Amino acid sequence: MNLNIDKQKNKSFSGLVTACSLVYFISYLTRQNYSAVMVDIIESEGYAKSAAGAAVTGLFITYGAGQIISGFLGDKISPKKLITIGLLASAAMNLAVPFCPSTVYLTAAWCVNGFAQALMWPPIVRIFSEYLTPERYKTATVSVSWGGSLGTIAIYLFAPLCVSFWGWRSLFYIVAVAAALAAFFWQRKMTYFENTLVPILPCGFKDKDAVKTAQNGRKALKTGTVIMLVMIMMAIIFQGIIRDGVTTWLPTYISDSFNLESAASILTGVGMPVFSIIFCKLAEILNRRLFPNEVFCAAFFFAMCLACLLVMCFFGGSSMALSIICLTLATGCMHGANVMLICMLPPYFLKTGHVSLISGILNACTYVGSALSIYGVALVTENSGWGVSMKIFAGAAALGLLFALLSCLPWKQFAKDKA
């Protein structure tokens, strides 16, 4: 009898992870689609790179700011409701984009989409932190990261088909419908899980002992811990500069540097999410078997990324294949660092009662870097060329490595105290 109950629980846990992974998959469909067809939007509508890139920059700004708001709300409001609202709002904004008459309206719609997207990750972290053991949590967050990577793969494979046969606008119609259907599916499945699974900790910390624990946790956040968190946040910002900057501009870089048609250049981006899946799993394995210090594990990936970008700076411009390999590996490394710094650190703050808020703040730092990178790369490239942009990416990797290394020992002590 107990064996059957355990099997049922395992099935429910797996279903919960699958549902959250689907949400993240859809969130990437409705977020990466603009970047995937930006080359064609620029060519067909006659927009400047900086004007077209402003929409992506706006999304990253509102997504980053929204992470903090979402993190705050995620500790107080039902995660199920927040994610449903996010999916429906994102569907509406994707439906609006094809009707935008200029980059001003397009940027406004994409900024709202950024905030809608922010309503998904912190609630997912809260759900996992409350329902899953630490061991399950690590594998679950990697699985959700895979959902985002698979969404990017789907977009970069499907976007050229849409562009070639129906035009870039068709892609936004299709993903809007997918997001609306996903919202309906999520609402129903999460209602089932709420009635089936028992939280590890009381939701909202409503009992007196849990409140006392949360208060003690906040008092334990000393000056040294705050300084450590600031250094980690700086490393995350540089990670965002590289990861999303390269991901967004790779098709345009290949098109400009090697005279590749827009549809073909879009396909060059397929390798990045494939390697992101590989590097996310590699990060989990290294963290479990070789580098138990999550921040040091992130520093290892920064070092690998720096090596790839240095090769790119010196030799990449002469070969399209080498450029794609170096930049793909660099973004893969940053996905590995992202798993460590964004996914694995928040559970250590579970006893404070603010795991969702910490998750939102850390994730927001990624998109501070992303916003700086997207618009900055456009301006630098238009004025100084792609070579300078590549050197900026290498500099970001070096600084990210530095801040990660400076944070290693303080994090080791903090994690030990919170274990």
Side-chain angles (χ1 to χ4, degrees):
M1 183 68 177
N2 289 335
L3 183 61
N4 291 332
I5 293 174
D6 289 340
K7 286 183 178 179
Q8 181 63 35
K9 285 184 177 180
N10 286 332
K11 185 177 180 180
S12 295
F13 284 131
S14 298
L16 177 64
V17 174
T18 300
C20 290
S21 299
L22 176 63
V23 166
Y24 216 52
F25 173 83
I26 295 295
S27 77
Y28 268 69
L29 291 185
T30 52
R31 186 196 317 175
Q32 297 287 359
N33 53 339
Y34 181 89
S35 297
V37 297
M38 186 161 58
V39 175
D40 197 69
I41 292 174
I42 291 170
E43 291 181 357
S44 64
E45 305 302 317
Y47 298 146
K49 288 186 180 70
S50 55
V56 183
T57 301
L59 177 139
F60 285 138
I61 291 173
T62 56
Y63 185 87
Q67 286 290 317
I68 300 174
I69 298 172
S70 176
F72 176 78
L73 294 175
D75 289 317
K76 300 178 180 297
I77 299 175
S78 164
K80 177 179 71 175
K81 293 180 181 177
L82 285 178
I83 291 173
T84 301
I85 292 170
L87 287 170
L88 292 175
S90 186
M93 291 305 102
N94 271 270
L95 193 60
V97 164
F99 300 98
C100 293
S102 69
T103 55
V104 174
Y105 290 95
L106 197 154
T107 300
W110 219 233
C111 283
V112 176
N113 186 40
F115 185 80
Q117 296 282 332
L119 297 177
M120 300 182 204
W121 176 250
I124 287 175
V125 171
R126 177 187 164 185
I127 290 169
F128 284 172
S129 297
E130 290 184 348
Y131 285 99
L132 305 181
T133 63
E135 293 75 18
R136 286 183 185 270
Y137 176 92
K138 289 188 174 184
T139 57
T141 50
V142 171
S143 297
V144 172
S145 298
W146 288 2
S149 298
L150 291 173
T152 305
I153 292 172
I155 279 295
Y156 277 94
L157 287 175
F158 191 57
L161 180 65
C162 290
V163 168
S164 299
F165 290 96
W166 308 297
W168 64 266
R169 288 176 173 82
S170 62
L171 182 62
F172 290 88
Y173 297 138
I174 292 169
V175 300
V177 172
L181 292 174
F184 175 76
F185 170 81
W186 167 258
Q187 188 72 16
R188 293 196 61 182
K189 291 298 290 184
M190 196 58 201
T191 299
Y192 167 76
F193 294 132
E194 287 175 339
N195 294 328
T196 304
L197 300 175
V198 179
I200 296 173
L201 291 175
C203 286
F205 296 93
K206 293 180 180 179
D207 63 282
K208 294 181 180 180
D209 290 337
V211 171
K212 184 177 181 180
T213 301
Q215 290 173 342
N216 291 334
R218 284 195 292 271
K219 289 178 182 178
L221 209 61
K222 299 178 181 179
T223 302
T225 304
V226 173
I227 293 173
M228 174 198 69
L229 281 174
V230 170
M231 291 191 294
I232 291 173
M233 289 163 67
M234 291 300 299
I236 293 171
I237 288 173
F238 289 114
Q239 176 265 146
I241 287 175
I242 301 164
R243 191 195 71 175
D244 291 316
V246 173
T247 299
T248 299
W249 289 110
L250 177 62
T252 307
Y253 165 73
I254 295 298
S255 179
D256 288 351
S257 301
F258 302 101
N259 298 315
L260 212 61
E261 292 183 359
S262 62
S265 66
I266 292 172
L267 287 173
T268 63
V270 173
M272 288 186 291
V274 172
F275 275 85
S276 74
I277 293 174
I278 295 172
F279 276 80
C280 284
K281 186 61 179 178
L282 177 62
E284 182 205 352
I285 293 172
L286 289 176
N287 177 229
R288 187 159 27 91
R289 299 182 179 179
L290 196 59
F291 305 132
N293 185 325
E294 292 86 357
V295 178
F296 183 80
C297 190
F300 171 78
F301 283 105
F302 270 111
M304 290 178 62
C305 177
L306 177 59
C308 293
L309 290 171
L310 288 175
V311 173
M312 178 67 200
C313 287
F314 288 106
F315 307 107
S318 61
S319 168
M320 182 173 71
L322 182 61
S323 295
I324 294 172
I325 290 171
C326 287
L327 293 175
T328 298
L329 289 176
T331 55
C333 290
M334 289 300 89
H335 278 281
N338 183 76
V339 166
M340 289 297 106
L341 300 178
I342 304 297
C343 301
M344 301 305 178
L345 303 194
Y348 288 94
F349 298 88
L350 182 62
K351 292 181 180 179
T352 69
H354 293 101
V355 62
S356 181
L357 179 60
I358 293 294
S359 172
I361 290 173
L362 294 180
N363 206 17
C365 292
T366 295
Y367 295 95
V368 172
S370 302
L372 291 172
S373 183
I374 302 305
Y375 196 67
V377 166
L379 290 178
V380 169
T381 302
E382 288 176 354
N383 291 284
S384 304
W386 284 106
V388 176
S389 296
M390 295 303 152
K391 290 181 175 65
I392 291 174
F393 286 136
L399 289 171
L401 173 60
L402 175 63
F403 280 108
L405 289 174
L406 290 173
S407 308
C408 285
L409 289 178
W411 176 257
K412 181 180 180 180
Q413 185 58 48
F414 176 80
K416 181 180 178 181
D417 293 341
K418 293 297 179 182

